[in-house]
Amino acid sequence: MWLLRHRGRCFNLLAAQRLYGARFSSLSSSKNGANSPCIGILREESNVWEGRAALGPHHVQALVKKGVRVVVQPSTRRAYSMFEYETAGAELHEDLSSCDVILGVKAPTPETLIPHKTYAFFSHTIKAQEASMELLDTCLHKHIRLLDYEKIVDSSGKRVVAFGRYAGAAGMTNILHGLGLRLLALGHHTPFMHLGGTHNYSSRSAAKAAIANIGREIEYGLMPEVLGPMIFVFCGYGGVSKGALDVLRELPIQMIDPSEVEEISKTG
C-alpha cells in the first residue's frame, strides 16, 4: 500500500523578458546595430544530461524584435536546437564577451566568468553555501554584478523566477529511479528497477507512461510485502510539490492525514 499526505523543454525564464523587456522597449528595431544592448545565453555544463536553457527561442524572438542582440553559446544538448535559436534571430558564438548581460540556469565554473559583466543565474550563495563561496569570491574579484534568481521579487515580495511543476515532476522521477537502485542494493527487486532517470526520456509523456507501467506492476503485487507500507511526506503546496504529486498519482497511492502516520507505520 502506498500512503501519502498533502503537501522539462527549457527552464522557462519568462521573468527575464519582464525584467529586460521594459528597459529595451524604447530602442529602435535595428537588430544588430553597434549600439544595441546584448544578452548572452550560457551553455549549461553542470551535468552531461543538462538540457535546460535560460531563454527559449520564443523569448529570443521577442527580444530581437525590441532591438536586442542575443548571442547563444553553441550546444547540442539543449532541449532546443541551435537552428531554432538562429531562426529566432540569435547569433551563435562561443565568446560572450560582447554581451552586456549573460544568463544561465546553473552557475558556470568560476574560471569561465568574464570580468566586469552582469550575470544572472541560480548561484546558491544567498545562504552562504560553502560549496559556492569560491564562485562568490570570484565574482567579487572580477568585479561582476551577480543577479541571483532567488532574490528577484515583485512589488509584493513574491519570487518571479522559481522552479515549478516541471521541476517537481523531474525531481520525483529521479527520486523513484534512485529508490529502485537503493532497494536493489539492499537485495530487493522492485518495479522501480525499470524506471530510468529523467534525462532518459525524450518527453514528459514518455516518463509518465513508464511510471504508469510501474503503477500497474505494483497493483499486480510485484512489490515485496516486506517493504510496505511506504510513506511519502511532502512539505508545501507550491508548483514543485504539485509536479511531484502529478508523478505519484500514476501509482496506486492512498492519501492519509498526518495524524495517521504513526499508527500506520506500526501496523501497516
Side-chain angles (χ1 to χ4, degrees), residues 36 47 57 69 82 84 107 124 154 169 200 202 205 248 250:
S36 296
N47 295 301
R69 285 183 62 222
M82 290 183 283
E84 289 176 281
H124 301 294
D154 60 18
N200 291 121
S202 60
S205 59
L248 280 188
E250 297 298 324

Side-chain angles (χ1 to χ4, degrees), residues 24-248:
F24 298 143
S25 61
S26 62
L27 296 171
S28 70
S29 59
S30 172
K31 293 185 178 181
N32 295 308
N35 296 322
S36 296
C38 180
I39 290 180
I41 301 176
L42 288 167
R43 175 177 54 249
E44 300 297 324
E45 298 182 305
S46 58
N47 295 301
V48 294
W49 54 81
E50 183 62 79
R52 292 175 295 178
L55 296 178
H58 56 299
H59 301 124
V60 170
Q61 186 175 49
L63 289 167
V64 170
K65 285 182 178 179
K66 293 182 179 181
V68 182
R69 285 183 62 222
V70 179
V71 181
V72 179
Q73 279 191 326
S75 174
T76 57
R77 296 200 303 238
R78 286 194 190 96
Y80 294 107
S81 69
M82 290 183 283
F83 174 77
E84 289 176 281
Y85 280 106
E86 285 188 301
T87 302
E91 304 169 31
L92 297 178
H93 293 300
E94 185 68 30
D95 183 11
L96 300 181
S97 60
S98 65
C99 300
D100 303 296
V101 179
I102 300 173
L103 306 178
V105 178
K106 304 284 283 186
T109 55
E111 62 270 16
T112 64
L113 293 171
I114 304 172
H116 305 287
K117 293 293 182 182
T118 296
Y119 280 86
F121 49 75
F122 285 107
S123 70
H124 301 294
T125 57
I126 195 63
K127 299 173 185 175
Q129 292 95 317
E130 184 176 354
S132 300
M133 289 301 96
E134 180 186 357
L135 171 71
L136 190 58
D137 287 341
T138 302
C139 287
L140 292 170
H141 178 71
K142 293 186 176 182
H143 303 283
I144 288 169
R145 180 189 289 115
L146 173 59
L147 306 179
D148 193 318
Y149 296 142
E150 289 189 57
K151 301 304 292 180
I152 300 177
V153 298
D154 60 18
S155 58
S156 65
K158 183 179 179 180
R159 285 178 59 179
V160 297
V161 184
F163 291 105
R165 207 155 191 146
Y166 287 119
M172 181 52 68
T173 302
N174 279 335
I175 286 172
L176 297 179
H177 166 65
L179 177 62
L181 294 177
R182 174 59 178 164
L183 293 176
L184 181 62
L186 294 175
H188 301 292
H189 285 217
T190 70
F192 295 111
M193 290 170 47
H194 308 137
L195 183 66
T198 303
H199 65 280
N200 291 121
Y201 300 99
S202 60
S203 66
R204 188 183 182 192
S205 59
K208 186 175 181 180
I211 295 165
N213 187 60
I214 288 171
R216 287 189 289 272
E217 291 183 355
I218 293 173
E219 289 181 326
Y220 294 156
L222 299 182
M223 195 73 180
E225 290 186 11
V226 69
L227 297 176
M230 289 185 173
I231 301 175
F232 289 78
V233 180
F234 283 30
C235 301
Y237 299 89
V240 173
S241 290
K242 290 176 181 176
L245 281 171
D246 287 343
V247 170
L248 280 188

